[in-house]
């Protein structure tokens, strides 16, 4: 066998061995590596619960202000806090738009025993979006309000 033929077979063998080593390195663990894979710390999308919204509100009888504070848990921070106000004057709800705001909201809701004007229901709603854009539950509170018209 001539030298060029030996070199040719040597190069072909080197290419095959190199390809085998590269492909083999992608799969099997080395003898010094652990074979068992612990998936206990692996996070998947199913492991991340959606955010949970909570809200507390109170009414100031002197100023007729209703003040609410919302908070979030679960999900992935940072959160986007959203509010929606619905006024129902008896002909169905008015308003249903969500807007971004802070964790607090205040609104005017006059109350009293009057023989004129209009009584209506005000619904203050709160929800949260997390960094994954998962939407939380909606929490709401209803207040009975009065308008002089």
């Amino acid at each position: 066998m001539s030298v060029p033929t030996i070199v040719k077979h040597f190069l072909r063998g080197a290419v095959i061995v190199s390809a085998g080593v590269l492909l083999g390195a992608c799969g099997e663990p080395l003898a010094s590596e652990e074979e068992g894979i612990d998936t206990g710390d692996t996070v998947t999308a199913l492991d991340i619960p959606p955010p949970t919204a909570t809200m507390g509100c109170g009414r100031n009888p002197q100023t007729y202000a209703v003040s609410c504070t919302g908070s979030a848990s679960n999900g992935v921070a940072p959160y986007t806090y959203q509010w929606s106000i619905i006024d129902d004057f008896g002909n169905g709800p008015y308003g249903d738009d969500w807007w971004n705001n802070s964790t607090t909201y205040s609104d005017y809701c006059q109350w009293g025993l009057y023989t004129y004007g209009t009584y209506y229901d005000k619904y203050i709603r709160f929800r949260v979006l997390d960094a994954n854009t998962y939407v939380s539950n909606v929490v709401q509170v209803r207040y009975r309000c009065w308008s002089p018209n």
Side-chain angles (χ1 to χ4, degrees):
M1 196 186 277
S2 68
V3 173
T5 305
I6 294 174
V7 170
K8 181 179 173 184
H9 288 291
F10 176 74
L11 290 176
R12 186 180 315 153
V15 169
I16 292 172
V17 169
S18 297
V21 168
L22 287 174
L23 291 174
C26 295
E28 295 289 325
L30 298 174
S32 62
E33 292 181 339
E34 201 176 309
E35 286 192 34
I37 298 173
D38 181 19
T39 59
D41 294 334
T42 303
V43 176
T44 64
L46 298 176
D47 292 336
I48 301 171
T52 303
T54 56
M55 176 180 66
C57 297
R59 178 183 250 169
N60 184 330
Q62 286 79 30
T63 63
Y64 302 115
V66 174
S67 299
C68 298
T69 301
S71 63
S73 60
N74 298 327
V76 179
Y79 302 111
T80 301
Y81 305 101
Q82 294 187 326
W83 297 87
S84 174
I85 306 303
I86 298 175
D87 292 329
D88 188 350
F89 290 91
N91 297 327
Y94 173 76
D96 191 22
D97 298 326
W98 291 95
W99 73 91
N100 297 344
N101 201 357
S102 67
T103 58
T104 59
Y105 176 77
S106 291
D107 204 346
Y108 183 78
C109 178
Q110 186 170 343
W111 174 253
L113 299 175
Y114 302 99
T115 58
Y116 62 95
T118 304
Y119 288 93
Y120 65 97
D121 291 320
K122 179 179 288 290
Y123 297 90
I124 300 174
R125 305 185 323 156
F126 177 72
R127 73 180 183 186
V128 177
L129 278 69
D130 73 356
N132 291 330
T133 66
Y134 293 165
V135 181
S136 74
N137 57 310
V138 174
V139 290
Q140 77 175 12
V141 63
R142 180 184 69 87
Y143 283 97
R144 190 77 170 151
C145 304
W146 174 82
S147 176
N149 59 353

